């Protein structure tokens, strides 16, 4: 029945008119005790004006009969209501809803269903909608993704063992609030690895542990950028970073990218015209085009940063995965002035679900980042950090990296061969020296905006190239991750791609 | 030796002058192969100007002798350098550092130690320092903290079992990128619980899973507040929330707080003078003073929000822990207009290390929050969410809550009795109806700024009251968490507190 049209809502305080039987709802099969459900139902009716302020309630015996419950249940509900302050029990007079509640325009049950508990299409107040784009979740088993690892290779057994250990035997401190920069032991171990493999010379004070490189980029942007600060990125650049820095108010300036990475020579001209706050660069494997920034450009970039005093945000998102030679030392290894802010992640070593990234920078800047870290997300995942530290120290992570590198190397070679032999002139790409994706330019006869949805009909995910096209109108290109599919799956994925293109050619 | 004063730095390209033996460093005990260490060392010397552009390197045999390594090691190092593009091997002429590198002012080893590879005190660029305060990490075993659960009671065995299951048997999708709002199954299960226990009527679309309530507060602030927007908080209020909203640019307006919570009657006067964007309220157990917002004020607050169209940020941080009656339904349960943004956390049920919180609000607002979530931290912890869903469905979480509630109830009673009998007039407090902390006013003869450090000498953490004093100069008060210490520890803590006060009285 519709509470809105009920007489009690017009004629106040006439207890007889309150249709308790229809107003008070409960479900005996619920986990919540019936007396609490009755109390909550009363509160809901008071809060929404269906039982008005000062109303006299009927007796417990009468109500128990009406609702078909034991009288003790009603008494318990009334005691709860009394104790929470919603009703008053006045001896020899009866039980009343408390006085002086504001008058509430009663809401019908239908309206409640539509409006209650925040289930609204439109909030009752204005808020500005940002332009941030949320990436879709890829559900296809066959997927040319952005360049993700194969989660089936993740060291899950080892992680299970370590988690089990810490859950059962971890000191209380493991479960308490922790240092905002991340677990101290983890940072010590990790600093050692950075110094050894990347020729840095950092200590744990230079490291902030983050939730993946995404949080690292956000924090760096937050601490560095004020609205309308100017930053530089490549003409094509890692989309999520540009999005993040733009959302934080940065103005974006672009410079060309070629087969040797960012054309850093174009920076000077911009710096002579305006003050540049920072440059964002994926120096190791340029995102999206996968190329490596060549040595002389590295040194030129550093020299320009020194001359014009801008920060270099170096995002080294998949450092360890390089096939033609060993990983290249990061720009951070040659930073004499604290201008390089070095960002990385363990995601590519493990799996996307494990959000462990980091920022390496000067102590004072790390302290500033830590403040923002503190208010966006108080601390990182201590248990995961301890597990990682153990896996670094006992060699598991290294063995895993070597194993994965070998597998991904084979997959890269296989994917490149197959794409060449199956698709021939329809696709143009350069075999990447590292990383987990191929940057592929498609023949214009196969616009990705059509090709991608067509492939999906056969269960294959292919990027629709939209983000790259929007940055450069002429492009019909996308990244094709090769690491997450095994040889057999890759073969099938390329067959589907070919068949789809064949169909489009008819 | 000091590279800075070396002749090669003045006389370019005279190979004989390059002191390779002292410049090239490696450590045979390192995990990194020696040839890679030699290559990295070369790169470091080139990057920092000690081996200049176009320099001719000495022969591999000669270098091998000089360094005391096998010639093959040197050859491998040179091949690596060649492949990375740092040197050129010109047949019949020799091996050269590549041409056209920018001139770099060489850095001495001493300077390197101080400056290189980010091991820096100071960033080489200016950045503004925010006023965000990072809370100290409490290391004392005996601690009157802010009101934290006893991590020794956390359902760790059960979590260990579930984690083990998902690590070993989880579908690949568990380890991949996930929905930005949180795992769909978890949100469905949790929506059911919210509807059942808190009289909401929400679906999974109304829920955003966050990293603790801290991230929830930040996201809500980010989506809601533009610089100089006006918000209202209590004269005393949860410090971390005020900090967060201030850092996002909000202007803070305060209203009084009394024994029944926020004095909401004071809101109207402010709203008549200026546009208020939002009010932040811990309605269930007011932070810091622990009182519960009384029913008529709840309805008045909702009516005021409707009238002046401001949002209510309701932070229900420890919903389940109420001792004198059942938990009070949140303001969100009476929200007819989508004005209430409901924030909560599982931290108090589990342990601070598990950062699982949530926002419940209208769908469109949740979508906006999700955009910001996406750029500050791409997704939540899928495995943890699945474990929580399981623990909700199999009753573990509820059993755990009931068990903890009983323990904390006893600890509250014991702490209150002991504080009264041991400290008498020196301390004034009201037994809290719920939550995990007592709000204690200390006699001015024992300023917390002295008492707290004195207690620490005996291994007891006590808050120094500074954050509360700075909000209200007259206060000599702090929160005293009672949940994380068992009866014996509490007894000892209160004995130390008493002894310390005795000493101060002499």
């Amino acid at each position: 029945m519709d509470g809105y049209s009920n007489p009690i809502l017009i004629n106040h305080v006439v207890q007889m008119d309150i249709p308790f039987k229809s107003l008070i709802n409960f479900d005996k099969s619920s986990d919540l005790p019936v007396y609490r459900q009755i109390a909550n139902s009363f509160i809901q009716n008071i809060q929404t004006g269906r039982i008005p302020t000062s109303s006299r309630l009927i007796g417990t015996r009468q109500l128990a009969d009406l609702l078909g419950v034991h009288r003790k249940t009603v008494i318990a509900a009334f005691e709860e209501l009394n104790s929470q302050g919603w009703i008053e029990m006045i001896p020899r007079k009866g039980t009343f809803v408390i006085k002086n509640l504001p008058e509430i325009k009663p809401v019908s049950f239908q309206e409640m269903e539509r409006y209650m508990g925040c289930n609204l299409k439109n909030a009752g107040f204005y808020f500005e909608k940002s332009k941030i784009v949320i990436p879709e979740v890829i559900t296809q088993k066959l997927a040319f993704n952005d360049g993700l690892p194969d989660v089936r290779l993740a060291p899950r057994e080892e992680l299970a063992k370590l988690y089990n250990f810490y859950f059962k035997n971890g000191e209380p401190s493991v479960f308490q609030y922790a240092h905002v920069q991340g677990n101290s032991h983890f940072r010590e171990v990790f600093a050692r690895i950075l110094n050894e493999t990347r020729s840095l010379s950092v200590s744990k004070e230079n490291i902030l542990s983050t939730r993946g490189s995404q949080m690292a980029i956000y924090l760096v942007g937050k601490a560095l950028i004020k609205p309308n600060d100017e930053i530089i990125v490549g003409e094509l650049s890692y989309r999520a970073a540009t999005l993040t820095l733009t959302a934080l108010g940065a103005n974006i300036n672009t410079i060309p990218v070629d087969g040797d990475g960012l054309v850093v020579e174009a920076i000077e001209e911009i710096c002579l015209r305006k003050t540049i706050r920072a440059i964002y660069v994926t120096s190791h494997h340029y995102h999206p085009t996968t190329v490596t920034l060549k040595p002389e450009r590295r040194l030129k970039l550093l020299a320009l940063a020194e001359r014009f005093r801008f920060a270099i945000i170096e995002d080294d998102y998949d450092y360890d995965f390089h096939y033609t030679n060993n990983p290249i030392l990061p720009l951070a290894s040659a930073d004499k002035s604290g201008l390089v802010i070095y960002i990385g992640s363990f995601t590519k070593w493990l799996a996307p679900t494990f959000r462990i990234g980091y920022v390496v920078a000067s102590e004072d800047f790390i302290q500033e980042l830590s403040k923002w870290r503190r208010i966006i997300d108080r601390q990182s995942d201590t248990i995961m950090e301890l597990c990682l530290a153990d896996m670094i120290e006992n060699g598991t992570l290294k063995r895993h990296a070597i194993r994965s590198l070998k597998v991904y190397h084979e997959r890269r070679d296989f994917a490149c061969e197959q794409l060449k032999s199956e698709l021939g002139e329809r696709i143009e790409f350069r075999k990447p020296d590292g990383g987990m994706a191929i940057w592929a330019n498609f023949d214009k006869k196969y616009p990705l905006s059509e090709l991608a949805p067509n492939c999906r009909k056969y269960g294959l995910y292919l990027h629709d190239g939209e983000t790259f096209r929007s940055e450069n109108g002429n492009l019909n290109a996308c990244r094709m991750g090769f690491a997450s599919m095994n040889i057999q799956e890759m073969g099938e994925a390329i067959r589907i791609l070919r068949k789809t293109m064949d169909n489009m050619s008819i």
Side-chain angles (χ1 to χ4, degrees), chain A:
Chain A
M1 87 151 277
D2 179 359
Y4 197 45
S5 60
N6 192 286
I8 70 119
L9 305 170
I10 298 131
N11 303 316
H12 259 199
V13 206
V14 186
Q15 74 165 69
M16 300 304 291
D17 292 332
I18 301 178
F20 290 106
K21 192 172 162 55
S22 64
L23 286 181
I24 305 302
N25 298 304
F26 56 90
D27 168 7
K28 284 189 174 163
S29 72
S30 161
D31 272 355
L32 204 67
V34 169
Y35 86 92
R36 279 190 64 186
Q37 294 186 57
I38 292 175
N40 284 349
S41 196
F42 263 103
I43 295 168
Q44 275 293 32
N45 282 299
I46 298 169
Q47 285 183 338
T48 48
R50 286 187 301 251
I51 302 182
T53 184
S54 303
S55 308
R56 186 172 165 206
L57 304 183
I58 55 176
T60 50
R61 202 179 310 264
Q62 201 183 345
L63 189 57
D65 284 351
L66 214 54
L67 300 178
V69 297
H70 199 283
R71 191 182 161 209
K72 277 187 182 160
T73 307
V74 173
I75 291 173
F78 277 23
E79 277 168 0
E80 183 67 30
L81 286 167
N82 187 40
S83 137
Q84 291 196 23
W86 288 103
I87 61 171
E88 301 176 281
M89 292 164 161
I90 304 177
R92 281 183 308 273
K93 288 210 166 160
T95 302
F96 299 84
V97 174
I98 52 164
K99 290 185 294 257
N100 299 327
L101 293 181
E103 209 175 310
I104 296 158
K105 183 170 167 287
V107 178
S108 74
F109 275 122
Q110 285 95 319
E111 280 184 298
M112 288 297 278
E113 294 250 318
R114 251 188 314 141
Y115 291 126
M116 268 299 292
C118 309
N119 198 357
L120 295 168
K121 276 276 175 248
N122 297 299
F125 57 96
Y126 170 80
F127 57 91
E128 204 170 294
K129 297 209 165 93
S130 70
K131 286 183 191 135
I132 300 164
V133 180
I134 296 172
E136 65 184 319
V137 176
I138 299 173
T139 52
Q140 290 85 350
K141 210 182 127 205
L142 299 178
F144 288 114
N145 53 38
D146 193 60
L148 302 179
D150 188 342
V151 300
R152 294 168 297 191
L153 303 179
R156 284 158 55 170
E157 284 282 340
E158 182 75 15
L159 278 168
K161 222 186 303 171
L162 289 167
Y163 263 80
N164 193 52
F165 172 82
Y166 284 110
F167 274 129
K168 291 188 176 155
N169 309 309
E171 294 290 309
S173 66
V174 169
F175 299 90
Q176 284 293 10
Y177 283 122
H179 196 294
V180 69
Q181 278 179 246
N183 178 269
S184 171
H185 173 64
F186 165 70
R187 285 182 290 130
E188 271 165 21
V189 169
F190 187 52
R192 213 151 58 222
I193 290 291
L194 286 173
N195 295 343
E196 185 178 286
T197 62
R198 292 167 215 198
S199 289
L200 305 185
S201 89
V202 298
S203 74
K204 66 174 181 174
E205 305 305 333
N206 298 109
I207 297 175
L208 172 70
S209 168
T210 62
R211 298 257 311 157
S213 57
Q214 183 58 44
M215 181 181 277
I217 294 168
Y218 183 80
L219 288 171
V220 169
K222 195 78 194 119
L224 205 58
I225 288 164
K226 275 192 291 296
N228 296 317
D229 273 357
E230 306 284 341
I231 64 158
I232 293 178
V233 301
E235 232 162 40
L236 286 168
S237 188
Y238 178 46
R239 185 71 177 163
T242 311
L243 248 176
T244 304
L245 298 170
T246 309
L248 289 168
N251 294 334
I252 305 290
N253 301 269
T254 58
I255 57 172
V257 182
D258 65 17
D260 294 317
L262 278 181
V263 181
V264 299
E265 290 77 5
I267 294 171
E268 182 173 4
E269 190 269 324
I270 300 179
C271 286
L272 289 172
R273 281 188 292 117
K274 46 185 160 185
T275 304
I276 293 297
R277 188 72 178 127
I279 185 167
Y280 171 85
V281 56
T282 43
S283 49
H284 198 205
H285 303 128
Y286 195 78
H287 198 292
T289 65
T290 79
V291 297
T292 302
L293 191 62
K294 73 173 175 183
E296 62 212 66
R297 289 202 180 156
R298 289 171 176 261
L299 298 190
K300 273 182 196 153
L301 177 54
L302 286 161
L304 285 164
E306 289 233 1
R307 180 171 155 208
F308 294 106
R309 288 281 138 182
F310 56 78
I312 298 175
I313 306 171
E314 181 179 30
D315 185 352
D316 206 356
Y317 62 101
D318 53 6
Y319 176 77
D320 278 275
F321 298 95
H322 209 73
Y323 310 111
T324 51
N325 42 253
N326 285 299
I328 312 282
L329 291 186
L331 291 165
S333 73
D335 177 28
K336 292 171 300 191
S337 315
L339 291 165
V340 179
I341 301 158
Y342 184 65
I343 289 173
S345 163
F346 286 91
T347 295
K348 299 283 194 277
W349 287 22
L350 301 169
T353 201
F354 304 116
R355 315 296 306 143
I356 302 272
Y358 49 87
V359 186
V360 181
S362 66
E363 258 185 75
D364 59 349
F365 192 64
I366 289 292
Q367 275 163 30
E368 183 60 21
L369 295 182
S370 302
K371 293 183 194 170
W372 288 101
R373 168 64 191 251
R374 187 259 171 274
I375 65 165
I376 72 171
D377 175 24
R378 184 159 179 151
Q379 67 186 58
S380 45
D381 184 341
T382 307
I383 297 178
M384 187 59 181
E385 290 177 340
L386 290 172
C387 292
L388 268 179
D390 287 350
M391 288 170 72
I392 289 172
E393 288 191 301
N394 69 21
T396 312
L397 203 58
K398 196 173 172 183
R399 280 195 300 278
H400 170 66
I402 291 170
R403 238 184 351 251
S404 322
L405 189 70
K406 192 165 160 279
V407 173
Y408 297 155
H409 195 155
E410 282 166 16
R411 291 183 184 179
R412 178 199 65 163
D413 291 347
F414 180 77
C416 289
E417 278 159 32
Q418 286 288 302
L419 285 173
K420 194 140 260 137
S421 68
E422 291 293 312
L423 303 183
E425 303 290 294
R426 293 165 164 182
I427 184 175
E428 207 182 278
F429 65 91
R430 193 171 107 161
K431 193 172 181 173
D433 290 340
M436 300 185 181
I438 292 159
W439 172 245
N441 278 278
F442 284 77
D443 187 324
K444 296 269 186 327
K445 279 186 282 192
Y446 310 96
L448 281 165
S449 56
E450 288 175 39
L451 182 58
N454 286 344
C455 284
R456 287 188 198 197
K457 290 181 201 150
Y458 299 100
L460 172 66
Y461 174 86
L462 180 72
H463 194 279
D464 68 5
E466 184 48 44
T467 48
F468 308 117
R469 192 161 45 252
S470 70
E471 284 172 35
N472 182 331
N474 265 328
L475 273 182
N476 188 37
C478 71
R479 279 168 70 91
M480 298 175 75
F482 57 76
S484 59
M485 289 185 278
N486 63 30
I487 298 291
Q488 195 207 325
E489 291 160 344
M490 177 60 73
E492 197 179 333
I494 293 175
R495 269 193 300 282
I496 292 174
L497 181 56
R498 185 193 169 142
K499 195 171 72 180
T500 312
M501 290 175 111
D502 287 348
N503 288 343
M504 285 170 73
S505 306
I506 298 165

